[in-house]
Amino acid sequence: EIPKMDMVDFLSGTAAGITITLVGHPFDTVKVRLQTQDLVKEAAGEGRKPFTGGFDVVRRTVRREGVLALYKGMGGPLATVPIINAVVFAAYEQGIRFFSAERRAGEEPSLRDRAFAGAWAGLVNSAIVGPVEVVKSRLQVQYDSVSVRKKKDRKIKGPLDALRQI
């Protein structure tokens, strides 16, 4: 039987991960496109930077590719971030139990215990998130014009194809 607190941590992490992904992904797409605009030739028109700022990324992306383009590459994170958050919440609690094993019953974990538990949770998070971020970023910088919306015409057809190409 799963302890009640572990299930609460798991469900809380899952809900947080879904919310973070749905709300935050368009901002991440804007950030990635701004960061890579000098590297992606398709984004630039004859030697000029394609975007003047975040609002310009949104305006031009929506006009050229549609509003769903802001959610490019979201499949991987939507499938993994909720699970990752659940694992990180659980890893943190596991760390608290491990690093504060010497404390007395009812005594709050020390700052040191919390710091080590947070470091443990961060290490677990990094090992899982790294590959997901690479795939997501590759999909986000794929600039499709309206005429290239068909999957068969794209260079990277989806998350599994991005993994295959890496």
Side-chain angles (χ1 to χ4, degrees), residues 143-155:
Y143 292 84
D144 293 336
S145 66
V146 176
S147 63
V148 189
R149 284 196 186 153
K150 294 181 187 111
K151 249 186 180 174
K152 66 178 179 67
D153 297 330
R154 293 183 188 160
K155 291 178 190 163

Side-chain angles (χ1 to χ4, degrees), residues 1-161:
E1 182 176 309
I2 299 172
K4 185 178 180 183
M5 278 312 293
D6 288 345
M7 185 54 77
V8 168
D9 289 334
F10 182 82
L11 293 175
S12 298
T14 301
I18 291 169
T19 304
I20 287 166
T21 304
L22 291 175
V23 172
H25 195 79
F27 294 103
D28 193 62
T29 298
V30 169
K31 175 198 69 139
V32 168
R33 287 190 170 199
L34 283 170
Q35 289 173 328
T36 60
Q37 65 183 331
D38 292 331
L39 304 173
V40 181
K41 293 178 183 173
E42 302 148 10
E46 295 305 313
R48 68 179 186 93
K49 285 188 177 182
F51 307 117
T52 58
F55 289 117
D56 189 41
V57 172
V58 172
R59 182 180 57 79
R60 291 172 65 180
T61 298
V62 169
R63 185 170 15 121
R64 286 178 54 196
E65 304 171 56
V67 74
L68 292 179
L70 297 172
Y71 289 92
K72 276 185 180 177
M74 188 178 77
L78 193 56
T80 56
V81 169
I83 295 165
I84 291 165
N85 269 24
V87 168
V88 168
F89 276 46
Y92 177 79
E93 287 303 319
Q94 176 191 45
I96 287 290
R97 286 192 295 272
F98 178 80
F99 291 111
S100 60
E102 297 172 1
R103 68 186 157 109
R104 296 184 184 118
E107 184 181 338
E108 286 292 314
S110 69
L111 180 59
R112 181 191 71 83
D113 296 339
R114 291 179 192 277
F116 282 129
W120 168 245
L123 180 68
V124 169
N125 182 50
S126 296
I128 299 168
V129 170
V132 173
E133 286 291 313
V134 170
V135 169
K136 174 188 60 84
S137 296
R138 296 255 176 124
L139 289 167
Q140 287 174 318
V141 297
Q142 182 171 260
Y143 292 84
D144 293 336
S145 66
V146 176
S147 63
V148 189
R149 284 196 186 153
K150 294 181 187 111
K151 249 186 180 174
K152 66 178 179 67
D153 297 330
R154 293 183 188 160
K155 291 178 190 163
I156 302 173
K157 296 175 183 15
L160 294 177
D161 189 42

